[in-house]
């Protein structure tokens, strides 16, 4: 049997950037996030629901 499990992950991290002002710092932090340059120091994982997948068989 197959089950579809919904999950939620919340991660907390930080990144240090060189910036001209707070707005510039936020933009550079976002760039660092998408580049994979954020240091993740903790996270939380939770399975929120489980549903059995229906058998599809050969029906179309």
């Amino acid at each position: 049997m197959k089950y579809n499990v919904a999950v939620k992950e919340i991660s907390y991290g930080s990144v240090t950037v060189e910036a001209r002002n707070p707005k510039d710092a936020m933009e550079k932090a976002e760039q660092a996030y998408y580049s994979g340059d954020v240091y993740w120091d903790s996270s939380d994982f939770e399975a929120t629901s489980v549903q059995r997948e229906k058998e599809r068989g050969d029906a179309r």
Side-chain angles (χ1 to χ4, degrees):
M1 287 182 252
K2 291 185 179 182
Y3 292 87
N4 186 354
V5 180
V7 298
K8 174 176 68 172
E9 178 187 32
I10 300 174
S11 299
Y12 300 94
S14 63
V15 62
T16 301
V17 297
E18 185 74 35
R20 297 182 304 268
N21 54 50
K23 182 181 177 192
D24 187 36
M26 292 293 283
E27 291 172 359
K28 289 184 177 183
E30 186 175 345
Q31 291 171 359
Y33 168 78
Y34 287 113
S35 297
D37 295 330
V38 173
Y39 169 73
W40 300 105
D41 51 29
S42 67
S43 64
D44 183 31
F45 170 86
E46 178 182 349
T48 59
S49 71
V50 178
Q51 295 181 357
R52 185 175 170 186
E53 283 193 0
K54 295 179 182 176
E55 296 293 327
R56 296 181 187 175
D58 292 332
R60 287 184 182 219

